[in-house]
Amino acid sequence: MERKRVPYFVYAIELDPEVKKRPRFVARNPDMLEFGRCFYVGQSIHEPECRYRQHKECHGDDITFACICAVKRGVFTKRLSNNYARRFGVRLHREAYEGLNPIRTRKQAERLEDQLARDLQADGHGVWWA
C-alpha cells in the first residue's frame, strides 16, 4: 500500500514594524534598512492561511484550535506559534510565496524557506525564520 504524499507549503507573514525594537530581531538582521519591512518566514504541511491562524491562536494553556486546511484536519492542543509571528504578525504576505506552493517534500520546503528568507533579507528587510 502506497503512502499518500502530503504537500508542503512556504509562507511569509508581514510583521508590525514594532518588532524592530526587539534586540534579538535586530541582531539577526544587521543589514536591515530603515524603511525595510519585517517578515516571519516558515514552512509547513499546513496551507499558509491555516498556519497563520495557528501562529495567532495556538499559544497559552487553553488551546483548542481546529485546522481549516484540507491537508491535515484535526484539533490541536499544543503550542504551535512563533513568538514574533504571534505577537507582531499582521497579515500573510502572499506576494512573497506566490507560485512556490505546493512543494513535494519537506527538504525542498526547508530549502525554499531559507532561500525566501535570505532573498527578503538581501532586499533590506528584517526576517525571522528557523
Side-chain angles (χ1 to χ4, degrees), residues 52-64:
Y52 176 72
R53 283 189 53 229
Q54 289 174 356
H55 281 297
K56 298 303 274 184
E57 299 173 24
C58 289
H59 59 90
D61 294 326
D62 189 25
I63 302 168
T64 54

Side-chain angles (χ1 to χ4, degrees), residues 39-107:
F39 301 97
Y40 174 84
V41 174
Q43 59 82 26
S44 177
I45 61 169
H46 295 277
E47 294 171 7
E49 292 78 10
C50 185
R51 189 65 184 107
Y52 176 72
R53 283 189 53 229
Q54 289 174 356
H55 281 297
K56 298 303 274 184
E57 299 173 24
C58 289
H59 59 90
D61 294 326
D62 189 25
I63 302 168
T64 54
F65 176 82
C67 179
I68 61 168
C69 62
V71 176
K72 186 176 181 184
R73 294 189 181 274
V75 175
F76 297 87
T77 57
K78 64 179 183 175
R79 293 182 181 95
L80 296 171
S81 64
N82 170 273
N83 190 43
Y84 291 119
R86 178 179 59 82
R87 293 183 66 199
F88 299 100
V90 177
R91 70 185 67 80
L92 285 170
H93 183 59
R94 290 178 177 86
E95 300 83 32
Y97 59 85
E98 210 169 48
L100 299 177
N101 295 321
I103 303 160
R104 290 179 51 94
T105 69
R106 181 180 187 135
K107 191 171 189 169

Side-chain angles (χ1 to χ4, degrees), residues 99-116:
L100 299 177
N101 295 321
I103 303 160
R104 290 179 51 94
T105 69
R106 181 180 187 135
K107 191 171 189 169
Q108 289 172 328
E110 289 170 345
R111 281 196 305 263
L112 269 174
E113 171 191 20
D114 188 66
Q115 187 61 54
L116 176 57

